[in-house]
Amino acid sequence: MARRKIIAGNWKMNKTPSEAVKLVNELKPLVATEKADVVFCVPAIDLIPVVEAVKGSNIQVGAENMYFEESGAYTGEVSPAMLVDAGVKYVIIGHSERREYFAETDETVNKKVLKAFEHGITPIICCGESLTQREQGITIDWIRQQIKIAFLNVTADQAKTAVIAYEPIWAIGTGKVATTEQAQEVCKAIRDCIAELYNKETAEEIRIQYGGSVSAASAPELFAQPDIDGGLVGGASLKPDFGKIVNY
């Protein structure tokens, strides 16, 4: 079976609720397709108006983060139950910016992944290496470690439904894009790692995105690779260009 492509926009810390609704209405006709899954991952405060605004369209809504506890004294955090009740279907977990600025670790990523599955939310699990790590030749080792810890205690049935986003940190927001060969090599290594952790069938079903300065120009070649099942798109997801990426 061919894996269905999934194109997700990561809005990061952009757009007020009213701006978010306006952007959704602009993008709706541009991202209309039955050939791929389209997800808008938006800031927490935008989730409810965006879920409302996408009704009747092919767009699904994702959160950019969530906490791994059900409820309690965690000021400023958002629980999985809150996301489910708001109509959220996906959540980005372990983005490199969360790791860098908010002290997220492979272990907290794993806790969040398990909690997302518990609530029926599809995690988009991020992994990626820095420029130093790439230059030192430890990219694959590093990514395998991130994947192995993220999937600790995750069942094969759960893993099949997960999305993994490979984002070389040196290519995020820099305009530098990994070459198609570099992106495919790492995405294949991720799939091989999942096959080792589970089995070939699970590895064949899991969807792996590439992220890191994806543009309308680079998308067709990247998404044509055998192990790249779409993209996690940053800056370009806030522009009409996102429509071109989705309809590559």
Side-chain angles (χ1 to χ4, degrees), residues 84-215:
V84 170
D85 193 83
V88 171
K89 300 282 190 259
Y90 291 83
V91 61
I92 298 174
I93 294 179
H95 192 279
S96 60
E97 289 155 3
R98 300 282 330 160
R99 295 175 193 256
E100 184 182 351
Y101 307 133
F102 306 105
E104 293 206 5
T105 64
D106 291 335
E107 286 73 20
T108 59
V109 166
N110 175 242
K111 286 181 177 179
K112 290 180 180 188
V113 167
L114 292 169
K115 196 49 87 170
F117 281 126
E118 212 177 290
H119 285 266
I121 306 169
T122 301
I124 298 175
I125 304 160
C126 298
C127 59
E129 84 283 16
S130 67
L131 192 54
T132 309
Q133 287 158 344
R134 176 158 282 274
E135 285 171 348
Q136 291 301 324
I138 62 165
T139 295
I140 304 292
D141 295 337
W142 179 263
I143 304 281
R144 281 172 59 87
Q145 177 177 312
Q146 287 185 315
I147 294 298
K148 284 180 174 181
I149 298 174
F151 280 84
L152 191 65
N153 298 322
V154 171
T155 68
D157 284 340
Q158 290 172 329
K160 282 176 190 171
T161 67
V163 178
I164 297 173
Y166 165 56
E167 296 200 306
I169 299 166
W170 47 273
I172 299 174
T174 58
K176 284 183 187 174
V177 185
T179 65
T180 308
E181 293 71 28
Q182 285 172 326
Q184 162 59 22
E185 180 196 15
V186 179
C187 290
K188 181 181 188 306
I190 292 169
R191 202 175 300 286
D192 291 344
C193 184
I194 293 291
E196 284 171 37
L197 290 176
Y198 299 99
N199 50 47
K200 197 167 181 343
E201 186 199 350
T202 306
E204 283 304 314
E205 283 193 42
I206 201 165
R207 295 189 289 178
I208 304 171
Q209 298 175 316
Y210 169 76
S213 301
V214 176
S215 66

Side-chain angles (χ1 to χ4, degrees), residues 180-181 217-225 228 248:
T180 308
E181 293 71 28
S218 64
E221 197 186 325
L222 282 165
F223 299 168
Q225 299 309 301
I228 300 179
Y248 72 96

